[in-house]
Amino acid sequence: MMTGESNSFLSGVIEGFYGPPWTQAERLELFDWMTQWGLNTYLYAPKDDLKQRAIWRKLYTQAELDALREVIAECHQRGLRFVYAVSPGLDIRYSSETDLERLKHRFAQVMALGCQDFGLFFDDIPDRLEVEDIQRWGSLASAQSQITNTVFQWVRERSPTSRFLFCPTPYCSRMVAAKLGGEGYLPTIGAELLPEIDIFWTGPDIISRDITVTHIKDLQGLLGRKPLIWDNLHANDYDGRRFYCGPYDGRPPELRAEVSGLMINPNTEFPLNYVPLRTFAAFVNGAGEWDSRAAYLAAMREWFPRFATVGRPVTFEELVTFGDCYYLPYQEGPEAQNLYRRVQALLAKDPAHWGAEAAVLRADIACLRDFCARMAELRNRPLFNALSRRVWELREELDLLDRYIAYKADSANHELPFSSDFHRPGTYRGGMVAGLQQLLAPRSGGELGPAGGISAGVVADEG
Ligand code: GDL
């Protein structure tokens, strides 16, 4: 088993998203991947394990302990580090001895299962203090540092090589700029949190497009140590429409030397994480320049066999085009970008001038739509379950585009309005959420403003 000093650079996976936690079977598959691909740490911190956050004070039941014991043992058997974290920040009283005891009790329960490495997380919580906490500690940063130091020392007395991880309340530059956690939060943490404790950081943003060496070097001074990266690049819990199967990207290889580890918090749906985790592992263990597209294509090749269907097979090229439609938060893959630009250009033109491009485009749209349809025939049902709602939506939009182009390409219809029998108000893009989305629209600079549209699905027809 790995202990404190034997592998000090942490590399691995955080189960730290919102939404249904992974199943035991998924975790075991993850551990196999991690062993094969050279990642060393798994961090258990699913936001919606009730006892992780909402009811963190309650002890685990025997059945829950049995399940955790299994995961810890499976992890350790493969030589991986298992880190167990609790997030008490929603309602902890930092000056309450009882709350401190409860934290220790919880860690004692998990330590008894063989776990040696722990974390205390204070992300996504109200950044205010109760009066008695302010009186005792003066600031949120001091209160969190003191309680974390105390629990850390308690853990180290029982398990001297333990690694201990801390997640601050402001964990990216944007939050620091907004003064989340109060003025001087990070310098206080840097000064007061014991130097052996690792501090998580997600980069300039919660979901950081890029994390540069300069950015991290600036932070090292404030924290008094190298940060530990919590990478949300592939997390999709904030948008039910999307998932990310693009490559690990936007981080230079030199970053590895400036951080105490790289941990990735990926898609909530475990089966969609093959390429994210495969490319992340290749990045962590790679040498020389990082070619994200080459890493993506290589990982896609490995993922491809999981796309066997009970019907007509899909091709590797089709899978790549599909994957390019679900690439990364700030960037679609080249095939998707290309298709999008062509559709955009065609729709901007008078249908009288579409010429042959309309038919070519329709054929490409048909290919992708057909791929989506064949996803329903995947043999791998967990993969189908994870994909199905998103794929349905893509297929629906491609179908509508195809109908529109086919209709308008006919010279008799150039000037006529178009409607689709399969895309009717109310059932197509209907509902409160779609309606709200049309009221406020993002502008290119990041501002949001009234969009002017009213969803036919939300506002009942007048008269
Ligand atoms: C967060 C949460 C994380 C979530 C992610 C993406 C951290 C430290 N916390 O802010 O649980 O999955 O955003 O939505 O990143």
Side-chain angles (χ1 to χ4, degrees):
M1 191 196 308
M2 236 160 239
T3 49
E5 306 311 317
S6 62
N7 199 340
S8 64
F9 188 87
L10 300 181
S11 66
V13 179
I14 310 173
E15 186 176 337
F17 41 77
Y18 293 89
W22 291 334
T23 64
Q24 294 288 91
E26 288 171 337
R27 290 178 187 137
L28 302 198
E29 181 166 26
L30 169 71
F31 300 159
D32 286 341
W33 289 354
M34 289 175 59
T35 327
Q36 279 172 42
W37 302 340
L39 297 174
N40 62 29
T41 302
Y42 163 78
L43 164 55
Y44 180 87
K47 286 277 189 299
D48 293 314
D49 164 351
L50 286 174
K51 291 189 176 167
Q52 222 275 323
R53 258 171 35 118
I55 47 170
W56 64 271
R57 292 182 177 88
K58 290 224 162 45
L59 289 176
Y60 280 127
T61 63
Q62 192 54 50
E64 288 166 338
L65 288 174
D66 290 344
L68 256 180
R69 179 185 289 110
E70 187 200 356
V71 194
I72 295 170
E74 293 280 351
C75 207
H76 286 167
Q77 268 163 29
R78 291 168 177 80
L80 304 171
R81 187 193 295 276
F82 181 99
V83 184
Y84 176 85
V86 169
S87 301
L90 287 176
D91 59 0
I92 191 173
R93 295 294 171 94
Y94 295 92
S95 47
S96 155
E97 288 302 320
T98 327
D99 273 358
L100 177 62
E101 285 311 306
R102 285 182 180 124
L103 276 177
K104 289 179 185 169
H105 277 148
R106 171 64 75 74
F107 281 179
Q109 270 196 313
V110 182
M111 205 179 268
L113 305 177
C115 179
Q116 299 180 344
D117 302 297
F118 293 90
L120 261 189
F121 295 171
F122 297 98
D123 54 319
D124 297 6
I125 57 165
D127 71 334
R128 54 173 164 68
L129 279 181
E130 300 297 331
V131 177
E132 68 266 27
D133 291 335
I134 296 178
Q135 280 164 356
R136 179 152 176 207
W137 306 113
S139 71
L140 184 69
S142 283
Q144 291 176 353
S145 299
Q146 295 318 314
I147 199 160
T148 306
N149 288 344
T150 307
V151 176
F152 164 72
Q153 281 162 334
W154 179 90
V155 165
R156 277 275 174 108
E157 279 160 22
R158 284 152 188 81
S159 177
T161 56
S162 287
R163 196 78 180 241
F164 205 95
L165 319 182
F166 169 85
C167 186
T169 298
Y171 47 85
C172 65
S173 308
R174 197 173 292 281
M175 290 177 173
V176 172
K179 302 214 177 351
L180 194 73
E183 194 82 51
Y185 177 98
L186 277 193
T188 307
I189 292 287
E192 296 186 8
L193 198 68
L194 289 169
E196 299 93 326
I197 299 174
D198 283 285
I199 304 178
F200 268 123
W201 187 252
T202 64
D205 278 291
I206 301 174
I207 318 291
S208 295
R209 180 185 197 135
D210 298 291
I211 305 179
T212 64
V213 167
T214 323
H215 168 79
I216 293 300
K217 284 203 160 152
D218 289 347
L219 186 71
Q220 287 168 353
L222 274 181
L223 298 182
R225 72 208 77 194
K226 291 179 175 178
L228 171 60
I229 297 296
W230 170 309
D231 208 324
N232 285 322
L233 187 64
H234 294 86
N236 71 335
D237 50 9
Y238 57 85
D239 189 341
R241 285 201 168 160
R242 301 177 76 183
F243 70 91
Y244 304 105
C245 66
Y248 193 65
D249 204 7
R251 289 87 176 111
E254 296 74 29
L255 189 69
R256 292 173 302 202
E258 304 301 333
V259 295
S260 68
L262 286 164
M263 304 275 302
I264 185 169
N265 176 43
N267 294 291
T268 304
E269 296 80 7
F270 179 77
L272 305 180
N273 284 318
Y274 191 93
V275 175
L277 300 184
R278 184 72 187 94
T279 55
F280 170 74
F283 174 86
V284 169
N285 297 306
E289 289 294 295
W290 175 242
D291 181 342
S292 64
R293 187 66 183 173
Y296 168 75
L297 293 173
M300 277 298 225
R301 276 257 171 242
E302 293 176 12
W303 200 30
F304 178 54
R306 291 174 193 243
F307 285 80
T309 71
V310 296
R312 219 156 27 90
V314 298
T315 68
F316 178 67
E317 289 67 30
E318 288 169 340
L319 176 62
V320 169
T321 303
F322 174 72
D324 278 11
C325 299
Y326 296 94
Y327 209 63
L328 289 170
Y330 301 98
Q331 178 198 351
E332 300 314 332
E335 300 286 334
Q337 284 181 31
N338 184 27
L339 186 69
Y340 182 83
R341 288 203 189 107
R342 285 167 56 209
V343 173
Q344 201 181 26
L346 190 85
L347 297 189
K349 266 203 276 187
D350 180 344
H353 301 126
W354 279 0
E357 175 61 10
V360 179
L361 200 50
R362 281 193 66 203
D364 291 344
I365 289 173
C367 261
L368 186 54
R369 190 187 50 189
D370 186 51
F371 178 92
C372 293
R374 275 178 287 155
M375 288 300 92
E377 297 180 353
L378 285 176
R379 288 182 187 278
N380 185 330
R381 297 322 274 171
L383 183 57
F384 163 75
N385 292 341
L387 284 172
S388 97
R389 294 194 73 91
R390 284 69 181 267
V391 170
W392 185 277
E393 219 173 2
L394 176 59
R395 185 179 160 185
E396 191 87 353
E397 297 301 334
L398 293 169
D399 185 55
L400 175 60
L401 273 172
D402 185 51
R403 287 170 192 278
Y404 180 83
I405 297 171
Y407 181 82
K408 287 284 180 180
D410 183 339
S411 58
N413 300 330
H414 285 350
E415 303 300 328
L416 294 180
F418 164 79
S419 69
S420 161
D421 290 341
F422 298 92
H423 302 84
R424 304 302 306 156
T427 55
Y428 176 66
R429 289 194 205 162
M432 184 67 175
V433 174
L436 292 173
Q437 281 174 341
Q438 286 174 46
L439 293 181
L440 275 187
R443 313 257 155 81
S444 56
E447 332 75 79
L448 295 137
I454 293 178
S455 166
V458 173
V459 181
D461 285 342
E462 284 171 28

